[in-house]
Amino acid sequence: MIKLNVTDETSRLRAVILGTALSNGGVPKLEDAYDPKSLLHIKENTYPKEEDMVEEMNALEEVFNKYGIQVFRPKLINDYNQIFARDIGFVIEDTFIKANILPDREQEIEAIEHVLTQIDEDKIIRFPEEAHIEGGDVMPHGDYIFVGVYRGPDYADYIIARTNMLAVEALQNQFPDKKVVSFNLRKSNTNPYENALHLDCCFQPVGEKYAILHKNGFLEEEEYQWLVDFFGAENVFEISSEEMFHMNSNIFSIAPDVVVSEKNFTRLNTWLRSKEITVEEVPYAEISKQEGLLRCSTLPLVRE
């Protein structure tokens, strides 16, 4: 049995679900694109090739193997995108929460059933259907749970609005001892430079006390400032619009002093090393063309 334990984003990783790029389904039609960055690359004929994405995910798995991390992979669904395991669920403390994702992605949850059967069934829950939530918007941080949302009355008009306030309430009810703090995110169906698909597209804790932030990802300046004050301005690495576009905040922590990052994130990786954090660099630029990166393609199950 898997004994779940995740209380933050950076503690030593012991077990993780890693998505797969095999049998990815090829280039989607424009009308089937879920996000503006995929839309851009479909239009420009630069959408990533399956063999390149498989190679990138293999490089990440090699890093996990190097650190002795137990890696689970989903069962293969032919001609289907299963890269972004973070979307389909998340763990807080010893509880696995199945995400209420876009309806036509439900089979992705079924594809990890062989993992879920190794978890105490009493520790697997799902919020009511109207409580929309995806793992990319949820970050446990000790006594806190940070949640990305979209609060606008036009929520239904945005396919890239994935988490609502009903889910925030459900989280608070499920974890009454935690402080659930929500952040209203900037959304755009058409402009990838103005769209924070999930909270981890514009924010992520790293190390013992640091955070990566992109101010324009937040609709409410006071909510962005709350995070700056929480971590301390001297501990925040602010990324540009271009860096946000390339997913610089979507790296992944193996331990407080070890992160996996994209090899082209020169400025960020230099900063991380200046903080005495080991940076394991991997190629992930092709996968990033779908508006997701390292955090998006992983679902931690056990951290120390």
Side-chain angles (χ1 to χ4, degrees), residues 55-285:
E55 189 175 319
E56 290 180 346
M57 298 199 83
N58 286 344
L60 177 56
E61 186 169 23
E62 284 178 18
V63 174
F64 289 155
N65 292 337
K66 173 183 174 180
Y67 285 88
I69 296 158
Q70 185 175 17
V71 180
F72 298 94
R73 307 301 291 267
K75 288 187 176 176
L76 202 62
I77 305 169
N78 289 326
D79 298 321
Y80 197 83
N81 189 333
Q82 293 176 266
I83 292 172
F84 299 121
R86 183 77 62 154
D87 291 353
I88 63 178
F90 53 94
V91 175
I92 296 178
E93 295 183 338
D94 62 353
T95 302
F96 187 101
I97 296 99
K98 290 183 179 181
N100 287 331
I101 55 176
L102 299 171
D104 55 356
R105 296 186 61 187
E106 185 68 27
Q107 55 188 315
E108 289 182 64
I109 297 178
E110 296 169 7
I112 62 166
E113 191 59 36
H114 63 290
V115 181
L116 298 182
T117 56
Q118 299 178 59
I119 298 168
D120 181 350
E121 62 180 15
D122 292 335
K123 295 297 183 178
I124 300 174
I125 65 171
R126 194 163 204 171
F127 295 152
E129 186 178 345
E130 62 274 14
H132 301 167
I133 194 163
E134 290 187 351
D137 275 324
V138 182
M139 292 187 184
H141 190 80
D143 293 334
Y144 290 83
I145 302 173
F146 301 139
V147 188
V149 297
Y150 181 64
R151 303 193 197 104
D154 53 351
Y155 178 95
D157 296 335
Y158 288 100
I159 194 171
I160 34 72
R162 304 292 177 80
T163 301
N164 61 17
M165 288 303 294
L166 288 173
V168 173
E169 293 170 16
L171 273 171
Q172 189 65 80
N173 291 335
Q174 181 66 35
F175 301 100
D177 295 335
K178 301 281 189 182
K179 299 168 190 160
V180 180
V181 183
S182 66
F183 303 91
N184 201 18
L185 302 181
R186 190 174 305 281
K187 303 291 182 179
S188 172
N189 283 329
T190 56
N191 185 351
Y193 290 90
E194 294 285 333
N195 179 52
L197 182 64
H198 292 121
L199 182 59
D200 60 17
C201 295
C202 58
F203 160 66
Q204 189 175 177
V206 64
E208 295 279 6
K209 60 182 180 181
Y210 303 107
I212 303 166
L213 270 172
H214 177 60
K215 184 176 183 179
N216 195 50
F218 297 83
L219 280 173
E220 318 290 340
E221 184 170 351
E222 59 268 28
E223 292 179 1
Y224 160 81
Q225 191 60 47
W226 188 94
L227 283 169
V228 173
D229 295 341
F230 183 88
F231 286 92
E234 70 280 6
N235 296 322
V236 169
F237 184 85
E238 180 73 34
I239 60 175
S240 67
S241 178
E242 187 71 25
E243 288 171 325
M244 188 277 291
F245 173 80
H246 290 293
M247 308 297 295
N248 276 234
S249 65
N250 207 267
I251 61 173
F252 183 66
S253 292
I254 287 178
D257 58 349
V258 183
V259 302
V260 191
S261 182
E262 216 287 326
K263 65 179 185 178
N264 294 306
F265 294 171
T266 307
R267 194 174 78 92
L268 172 63
N269 294 346
T270 299
W271 179 81
L272 289 166
R273 291 185 175 110
S274 77
K275 304 303 180 186
E276 300 185 346
I277 295 172
T278 298
V279 181
E280 297 284 354
E281 294 187 351
V282 295
Y284 235 67

